[in-house]
Amino acid sequence: MSKNGKILVIGGGISGITAAVEAAEVGREVVLVEKEPYLGGRTVRMQRYFPKMCPPTCGMEINFKRIRNNPRITVHTLAEVLKITGEAGNYDVTIKIQPRYVQDDADIPNSVIEKLSSEVSDGYNMGMCKTKALHIPHPMAFPMQYLLVPEALTDDERELLKNECPPGAIDFDMQPQEITIQVGSIIVATGWEPYDATNLDNLGYGRHANVITNLMMERLAAVTGPTQGKMLRPSDGKEVQSVAFVQCAGSRDENHLPYCSAVCCMGSLKQARYVLEAAPEAKVTIFYIDIRVIGRYEKFYYDLLKEERVEFIKGKVAKIEEDGQTKDAVIEVEDTIAGNKIRKPFDLVVLATGMVPSTAHSKIPYEDLQYDPYGFVISGNGNGGIFAAGCAQRPVDVARSVRQATGAALKAIQS
């Protein structure tokens, strides 16, 4: 059989997008598959990048334009790979695409959407708020298309959409579809998930209202987030006056994640600046084992050390409890430098949870693909035609994800 030059990219985050556009712009046909209803992955949910502290639009809008203008790239959102067979140069891939129940080019008046009262959990905002059952997932979504959750609608709302939307815009009878494609190589860019903080019983996530994760903090700080960027705590909407960041929440721990995720320290340093900017009177305390920043990022850390409203305490947090009256999160920790124990309340506590590869829980459906003990894909295996990029391969930041994705695209082309 002849070799096939088409490339499948699994995952539409920053790594997958980069691999897709780099391969397509040198002439390869690319099929990009993403399980969410939009591209951008974790990156598009960030408030800002470090170290320049610019928003995701800095890079994402350029990449979206590259995809939009390149006819060699086919994008399938709300899609997952069901099966892969074959070998390098000749893979058969089955893809399942879930329905949006709205036609791609539908122009639905806002006045119609405003009449809907049914809401669903807002996945883009980490479930911290609700959104309409008919909605565009977020302001810079690509593709900029509506998504409908029909099971959330009342019978009256179904009739409303049938009668007041443009003819054919809504199709309640849409069904999932399966397609089969042939490709020559595959790039796995399935990204990562945060470590499940509910496993950390001593830290109270899921039980204490004002204990959140670092990903939730990104949305809390975002102008498109549940509080429009105001630093308000979840329990009562009070503006925070004290915020604690708990580093290595589950990471570097044999009972949870034995490895360091490499980016959590920089993430918390960045988020500390969110607090300083959004709440001018607030104070920040960072509890750490070690602060791990490398290269040019060290200046970002040293600059924060000079901030009067920021305190660094070396010590692994032993316990977080909740004050029954104030709902403050009360931290117990031993300051290993001062040699004393601390018990202190905070308005808000942010857990720096580590990175877990998505492939740790959802394997790529190809039996010859190999993984390391933590679920990260071992690149270049699978008969030599499957390559990993970004956090599917190891914990990395955005800049390293882009570089790895470019390298994976080159390998896929050469294979």
Side-chain angles (χ1 to χ4, degrees), residues 128 208-212 216-217 220-221 226-227 229-244 275 278-279 282 321-330 345-350:
M128 299 176 73
H208 305 335
N210 296 314
V211 177
I212 66 174
M216 295 169 71
M217 184 60 168
L220 190 67
T227 62
K230 296 177 182 178
M231 203 56 61
L232 310 179
R233 69 180 192 171
S235 67
D236 52 14
K238 168 188 170 184
E239 183 172 0
V240 300
Q241 297 298 309
S242 58
V243 179
V275 177
E321 297 179 336
E322 184 176 79
D323 186 304
Q325 293 184 332
T326 66
K327 298 300 181 183
D328 289 347
V330 182
F346 292 89
D347 290 328
L348 184 69
V349 173
V350 183

Side-chain angles (χ1 to χ4, degrees), residues 64-139:
F64 291 159
K65 183 177 181 180
R66 292 167 77 185
I67 293 173
R68 190 180 298 112
N69 294 339
N70 197 317
R72 299 188 187 91
I73 302 176
T74 300
V75 176
H76 296 297
T77 52
L78 285 174
E80 61 177 325
V81 175
L82 294 182
K83 186 179 181 181
I84 302 172
T85 59
E87 59 186 10
N90 289 290
Y91 293 107
D92 291 312
V93 182
T94 302
I95 300 168
K96 184 176 183 179
I97 305 170
Q98 298 293 342
R100 285 179 177 266
Y101 302 100
V102 185
Q103 298 298 337
D104 293 350
D105 58 352
D107 184 12
I108 300 174
N110 286 333
S111 58
V112 175
I113 298 175
E114 288 172 359
K115 293 178 182 179
L116 299 177
S117 58
S118 295
E119 294 180 324
V120 295
S121 179
D122 188 346
Y124 176 70
N125 279 310
M126 304 296 296
M128 299 176 73
C129 58
K130 300 283 188 178
T131 188
K132 296 281 188 179
L134 174 61
H135 63 281
I136 290 177
H138 64 89

Side-chain angles (χ1 to χ4, degrees), residues 3-235:
K3 295 291 182 180
N4 186 328
K6 185 180 288 188
I7 298 171
L8 170 67
V9 179
I10 309 175
I14 188 64
S15 299
I17 290 171
T18 301
V21 295
E22 294 294 344
E25 288 175 358
V26 297
R28 291 302 178 94
E29 296 287 327
V30 177
V31 177
L32 178 58
V33 174
E34 167 56 43
K35 67 179 180 179
E36 297 286 350
Y38 53 86
L39 300 183
R42 300 289 177 192
T43 303
V44 81
R45 286 185 171 101
M46 291 183 184
Q47 165 65 354
R48 296 179 191 166
Y49 294 103
F50 57 75
K52 293 184 177 180
M53 299 293 280
C54 57
T57 49
C58 288
M60 278 299 182
E61 61 184 8
I62 295 172
N63 281 317
F64 291 159
K65 183 177 181 180
R66 292 167 77 185
I67 293 173
R68 190 180 298 112
N69 294 339
N70 197 317
R72 299 188 187 91
I73 302 176
T74 300
V75 176
H76 296 297
T77 52
L78 285 174
E80 61 177 325
V81 175
L82 294 182
K83 186 179 181 181
I84 302 172
T85 59
E87 59 186 10
N90 289 290
Y91 293 107
D92 291 312
V93 182
T94 302
I95 300 168
K96 184 176 183 179
I97 305 170
Q98 298 293 342
R100 285 179 177 266
Y101 302 100
V102 185
Q103 298 298 337
D104 293 350
D105 58 352
D107 184 12
I108 300 174
N110 286 333
S111 58
V112 175
I113 298 175
E114 288 172 359
K115 293 178 182 179
L116 299 177
S117 58
S118 295
E119 294 180 324
V120 295
S121 179
D122 188 346
Y124 176 70
N125 279 310
M126 304 296 296
M128 299 176 73
C129 58
K130 300 283 188 178
T131 188
K132 296 281 188 179
L134 174 61
H135 63 281
I136 290 177
H138 64 89
M140 65 173 292
F142 182 90
M144 187 65 74
Q145 295 173 358
Y146 287 97
L147 177 68
L148 175 63
V149 185
E151 59 269 24
L153 299 173
T154 65
D155 291 340
D156 289 342
E157 287 172 331
R158 282 174 171 262
E159 287 301 314
L160 170 73
L161 294 179
K162 287 178 182 178
N163 296 330
E164 298 195 23
C165 286
I170 303 293
D171 183 357
F172 289 109
D173 295 324
M174 277 188 182
Q175 297 295 319
Q177 59 175 309
E178 291 186 12
I179 62 174
T180 299
I181 62 172
Q182 290 75 44
V183 299
S185 54
I186 298 171
I187 297 173
V188 179
T190 45
W192 61 282
E193 302 169 359
Y195 182 69
D196 185 355
T198 60
N199 293 332
L200 307 169
D201 293 338
N202 60 317
L203 301 185
Y205 175 77
R207 302 193 310 276
H208 305 335
N210 296 314
V211 177
I212 66 174
T213 67
N214 43 4
L215 289 187
M216 295 169 71
M217 184 60 168
E218 287 293 328
R219 301 313 308 149
L220 190 67
V223 294
T224 57
T227 62
Q228 292 76 52
K230 296 177 182 178
M231 203 56 61
L232 310 179
R233 69 180 192 171
S235 67

